[in-house]
Amino acid sequence: MNNQIQNLYLKANKAERLIIGLMSGTSMDGLDIALCKVSGSGADTDIEVLEFKTGDFTPDFRAKVKAVFSKKEVDLQLVCLMNELIADTHAGLINDALKEWGYQNEEIDFIASHGQTIFHAPKSLHQMNDYPNGTLQIGDGDHIAVKTGIITLSDFRQKHLAAGGEGAPLAVYGDYLIFSKKAEDRIMLNIGGIANFTYLPGSLQADEVFSTDVGPGNTLMDQFMQQHFNRFYDQHAAISLSGNLNQDLLSALLNNEFFEAAFPKTTGPELFNLDYLLNAQKASGTANLKKEDVMATLCHFSAETIAHAIQKCFVREIKAKVLMSGGGMHNPLLVNLLRDKLPDFSFGTTADLNINPDAKEAVLFAVLANETLSGKPIDFGHRKGVPSVCMGKISLPK
């Protein structure tokens, strides 16, 4: 047996595994790095976050990523080069984090890397009947494995596509394993660039689990802030709170067939971008609206789409707890609007369940890797968009 395969086998069979989960989302604010201690698998998964940090991206690196991000037409040479550069950058941030935390690289069993999404193209967006669903995350796993010396699992979304899904959202798998609780219905709401949620039934029945994207979370607000205020995001909703809702613009923003499409569904900044906003302003005659009012309206837009989706999915009376994660949970205006629109739901964050909400997405990929290495596919029945598969391609360091 190849000694690297033997090493993989031995590590996968350890009683406890140290797995680093990585996540870099559409906001591109940095690389979330979560060092997790994991034991068991499936319903017996036990996970503890030992360390967490967000590795900062330099302005130059962020600009390079944006040059190939969410564009139908892009320089193919740049895509090729960024596949390697992103991986090398992520590997460097991992090595720096381990040194900061006092760990040797050889102490870590596995890395679970989401990579950087540069284009998401489900059929509902590209609408070309002769082509399948597609998505592309770059940041090659082999480069990370070689540069860190740690076995790396990456490119998780391709198995989901191959098995009939849209490549997103993947949170349902980790949410079910980590956060399900008997006799308590839960909604795991992640408000990243795009907002998505997973419904976890108190019955613990996997075939009742439901997960979907719902529309923009922070992506439009962040893009507008970067373009007009030279700030990465609207910290503490300071700009949004200084403006006023414009109902005409909100109505135009909500006028898109995506919001009436059947669940589950996925989307991305390929649809919800500044061009989308400009078209809505033209349609509503609000092109000269104060920028603060645009920000306020964009925040209401995100809140409305999230609340509407939750209400649409749960038409029966339900006493579910909404547990938030992602950058949007730090936006006080957005959170207060959600509370107002969903008065029958109680709200909290994943911190209530001992998982840092800022670390949650990175932790979920550590769980996905753990299932591929030490578990088996969970039977989610025949629910659309939730194929019963294990995910992640394995890269060996030598």
Side-chain angles (χ1 to χ4, degrees), residues 234 236-244 292 295-296 331-334 336:
D234 187 11
H236 307 308
I239 302 299
S240 301
L241 285 168
S242 69
N244 296 298
E292 291 80 3
M295 277 298 298
N331 183 317
L333 175 58
L334 179 57
N336 287 336

Side-chain angles (χ1 to χ4, degrees), residues 148-261:
T148 62
I150 302 168
I151 298 170
T152 299
L153 284 79
S154 63
D155 213 15
F156 288 86
R157 297 186 184 275
Q158 294 304 317
K159 179 70 76 65
H160 196 266
L161 288 170
E166 292 189 349
L170 299 189
V172 56
Y173 298 89
D175 283 345
Y176 175 70
L177 294 175
I178 304 174
F179 298 120
S180 292
K181 181 180 179 181
K182 189 173 180 61
E184 182 173 285
D185 291 332
R186 290 175 169 175
I187 296 169
M188 310 305 299
L189 173 61
N190 180 62
I191 313 175
I194 297 299
N196 61 73
F197 70 81
T198 302
Y199 167 58
L200 301 174
S203 66
L204 304 185
Q205 295 298 310
D207 60 358
E208 294 180 13
V209 173
F210 182 87
S211 185
T212 186
D213 283 351
V214 300
N218 308 311
T219 185
L220 275 170
M221 290 186 284
D222 289 350
Q223 290 177 54
F224 193 81
M225 286 295 298
Q226 290 161 30
Q227 183 179 64
H228 295 286
F229 293 91
N230 197 29
R231 301 182 196 176
F232 197 62
Y233 66 100
D234 187 11
Q235 188 172 19
H236 307 308
I239 302 299
S240 301
L241 285 168
S242 69
N244 296 298
L245 167 66
N246 183 282
Q247 191 61 54
D248 290 337
L249 176 56
L250 178 61
S251 297
L253 289 167
L254 291 167
N255 185 24
N256 189 283
E257 61 185 14
F258 171 81
F259 299 114
E260 301 307 319

Side-chain angles (χ1 to χ4, degrees), residues 187-391:
I187 296 169
M188 310 305 299
L189 173 61
N190 180 62
I191 313 175
I194 297 299
N196 61 73
F197 70 81
T198 302
Y199 167 58
L200 301 174
S203 66
L204 304 185
Q205 295 298 310
D207 60 358
E208 294 180 13
V209 173
F210 182 87
S211 185
T212 186
D213 283 351
V214 300
N218 308 311
T219 185
L220 275 170
M221 290 186 284
D222 289 350
Q223 290 177 54
F224 193 81
M225 286 295 298
Q226 290 161 30
Q227 183 179 64
H228 295 286
F229 293 91
N230 197 29
R231 301 182 196 176
F232 197 62
Y233 66 100
D234 187 11
Q235 188 172 19
H236 307 308
I239 302 299
S240 301
L241 285 168
S242 69
N244 296 298
L245 167 66
N246 183 282
Q247 191 61 54
D248 290 337
L249 176 56
L250 178 61
S251 297
L253 289 167
L254 291 167
N255 185 24
N256 189 283
E257 61 185 14
F258 171 81
F259 299 114
E260 301 307 319
F263 295 118
K265 56 189 175 183
T266 63
T267 190
E270 294 76 18
L271 173 60
F272 295 110
N273 49 42
L274 292 178
D275 285 340
Y276 183 91
L277 171 60
L278 287 174
N279 290 333
Q281 288 185 275
K282 290 177 183 177
S284 58
T286 57
N288 295 318
L289 194 65
K290 285 176 53 181
K291 292 178 175 57
E292 291 80 3
D293 292 348
V294 173
M295 277 298 298
T297 304
L298 288 175
C299 193
H300 278 263
F301 178 42
S302 292
E304 182 65 28
T305 57
I306 293 168
H308 175 72
I310 291 175
Q311 291 166 332
K312 183 178 177 181
C313 288
F314 307 113
V315 292
R316 63 183 175 85
E317 184 177 350
I318 186 172
K319 299 296 182 183
K321 184 168 186 177
V322 178
L323 292 156
M324 297 180 292
S325 61
M329 59 163 279
H330 300 295
N331 183 317
L333 175 58
L334 179 57
V335 172
N336 287 336
L337 288 170
L338 288 172
R339 291 179 184 274
D340 290 343
K341 293 175 184 296
L342 297 168
D344 295 329
F345 294 77
S346 60
F347 281 78
T349 76
T350 58
D352 301 341
L353 307 179
N354 298 316
I355 296 290
N356 180 337
D358 292 319
K360 183 204 167 196
E361 294 296 292
V363 171
L364 290 179
F365 281 94
V367 173
L368 291 181
N370 187 67
E371 286 301 296
T372 296
L373 295 160
S374 305
K376 59 183 180 180
I378 302 163
D379 185 6
F380 285 98
H382 299 288
R383 295 190 72 93
K384 180 183 176 184
V386 194
S388 300
V389 292
C390 291
M391 292 166 279

Side-chain angles (χ1 to χ4, degrees), residues 7-21 34-50 103 106-112 150-151 153 177 363 366-376:
N7 187 40
L8 170 66
Y9 174 81
L10 292 173
K11 286 179 178 291
N13 279 281
K14 290 173 67 173
E16 290 184 342
R17 294 163 288 283
L18 290 182
I19 304 177
I20 290 177
L35 175 59
C36 306
K37 181 170 69 175
V38 190
S39 61
S41 63
D44 297 320
T45 300
D46 185 70
I47 190 162
E48 178 184 356
V49 180
L50 302 178
Y103 284 86
E106 54 267 26
E107 296 179 72
I108 309 303
D109 296 307
F110 303 101
I111 292 170
I150 302 168
I151 298 170
L153 284 79
L177 294 175
V363 171
V367 173
L368 291 181
N370 187 67
E371 286 301 296
T372 296
L373 295 160
S374 305
K376 59 183 180 180

